[in-house]
Amino acid sequence: MTTPSFMDMALEAAEKAGQAGEVPIGCVIVRDGEIIAAAGNRTLTDRDPTAHAEVLALRAAAHVLGSERLTGCDLYVTLEPCTMCAAAISFARIRRLYYGASDPKGGAVEYGVRFFAAPTCHHRPEVYSSVGESQAATLLRDFFKARR
Amino acid sequence: MTTPSFMDMALEAAEKAGQAGEVPIGCVIVRDGEIIAAAGNRTLTDRDPTAHAEVLALRAAAHVLGSERLTGCDLYVTLEPCTMCAAAISFARIRRLYYGASDPKGGAVEYGVRFFAAPTCHHRPEVYSSVGESQAATLLRDFFKARR
């Protein structure tokens, strides 16, 4: 599987989240070329303010590996992670972060607090942005257009 | 119950976490003068990188209230929240945040990214620091001293 294919799986998780009435954001976590966890946003479904796609995928991957440190794992997410998720990604020791659309309003990687550049960030993943960007942005745009 | 008493309950949760081999941090969430959720750190026990005291208490409180928004709820935690937890506290719409010791290395309220002052923070709780500070700091200091 190549890089775009993992992002395709994250986009699929995002679409499913949107169909369930959630903000359409999806995430997969990959280790040794295989997806070990996938999740879409579930804040409304789970009634859990922390149930962002990344947090859910991180928790699932940690469960699969039996460790709170996801050494050697890469994370693919359709939108630039928020402040909570960027910090969670750092705590989990994610190796590489790939994301789709940028998020000027809520992002924390290239926008906002730019957590990975902060002195209180003690593990920085390699970051690859704009992966599958247009599809992720279209998904979100259509979702919010339909809501208004 | 007065303010110090709720922090006493958070300190009790912190002590229990320390006895279980976790970093001794504890948290309670209060609504209408009653504790609706309490938790200590469980990252090692749960093998979950997101299982900080605040995240666990927020999730538990949301479950109790049946809503991802904890309107009218106040959160007491023994240490200055980290970046992940500060953002989670904001997402959950916590009304007032009381914390004990400051955390120059990992904090995100008065140190680090100072999330509540960031333009990407869309809900800011009222913040009260140094509540039960000396006890919280002693707990942490003794824990790390014993580990070295």
Side-chain angles (χ1 to χ4, degrees):
Chain A
M1 256 186 160
T2 56
T3 295
S5 301
F6 291 132
M7 190 56 89
D8 286 345
M9 301 306 290
L11 283 161
E12 198 173 298
E15 268 176 49
K16 273 189 202 153
Q19 283 156 11
E22 303 278 353
V23 179
I25 301 170
C27 177
V28 301
I29 294 177
V30 173
R31 199 190 191 202
D32 295 334
E34 281 187 31
I35 293 176
I36 60 167
N41 263 8
R42 281 207 311 263
T43 54
L44 300 175
T45 310
D46 291 0
R47 298 174 177 180
D48 176 355
T50 72
H52 287 196
E54 300 96 310
V55 164
L56 295 173
L58 288 168
R59 293 177 59 209
H63 185 76
V64 166
L65 298 180
S67 167
E68 82 287 1
R69 297 200 173 184
L70 306 181
T71 313
C73 290
D74 302 330
L75 186 147
Y76 294 73
V77 59
T78 56
L79 187 71
E80 179 182 351
C82 77
T83 306
M84 174 180 74
C85 292
I89 286 165
S90 172
F91 292 151
R93 309 290 198 280
I94 287 292
R95 180 176 61 176
R96 295 187 190 118
L97 163 64
Y98 299 86
Y99 66 85
S102 298
D103 184 7
K105 205 184 156 204
V109 180
E110 58 183 297
Y111 286 100
V113 301
R114 294 178 177 83
F115 181 61
F116 300 132
T120 47
C121 175
H122 307 297
H123 168 86
R124 291 164 185 83
E126 289 174 39
V127 176
Y128 302 88
S129 60
S130 308
V131 182
E133 184 177 16
S134 64
Q135 284 159 282
T138 302
L139 254 181
L140 282 161
R141 204 161 34 233
D142 291 352
F143 176 80
F144 285 110
K145 204 185 288 170
R147 292 245 150 169
R148 268 170 208 138
Chain B
M1 256 185 159
T2 57
T3 295
S5 302
F6 291 132
M7 188 58 87
D8 285 344
M9 301 306 290
L11 282 161
E12 197 174 299
E15 267 175 49
K16 273 189 202 153
Q19 283 155 11
E22 304 278 352
V23 179
I25 301 169
C27 176
V28 302
I29 295 177
V30 173
R31 197 188 193 204
D32 295 333
E34 281 187 30
I35 292 178
I36 59 167
N41 262 8
R42 281 207 313 262
T43 53
L44 300 174
T45 310
D46 290 1
R47 297 174 177 181
D48 176 355
T50 71
H52 287 197
E54 300 95 311
V55 164
L56 295 173
L58 288 168
R59 293 176 61 209
H63 184 77
V64 167
L65 298 181
S67 167
E68 82 288 1
R69 298 202 174 184
L70 306 181
T71 313
C73 291
D74 302 330
L75 185 147
Y76 294 73
V77 59
T78 57
L79 187 71
E80 179 183 352
C82 77
T83 307
M84 173 179 75
C85 293
I89 286 166
S90 172
F91 292 150
R93 307 291 197 278
I94 287 293
R95 179 176 63 174
R96 296 186 189 120
L97 163 64
Y98 299 86
Y99 66 85
S102 298
D103 185 7
K105 205 185 156 203
V109 180
E110 57 183 298
Y111 286 100
V113 302
R114 294 178 178 82
F115 180 61
F116 301 132
T120 47
C121 175
H122 307 297
H123 168 85
R124 290 163 187 84
E126 289 173 38
V127 176
Y128 302 89
S129 60
S130 308
V131 182
E133 184 177 15
S134 64
Q135 284 159 283
T138 302
L139 255 182
L140 282 161
R141 205 163 32 234
D142 291 350
F143 176 80
F144 284 110
K145 204 184 288 170
R147 291 244 151 170
R148 268 170 207 140

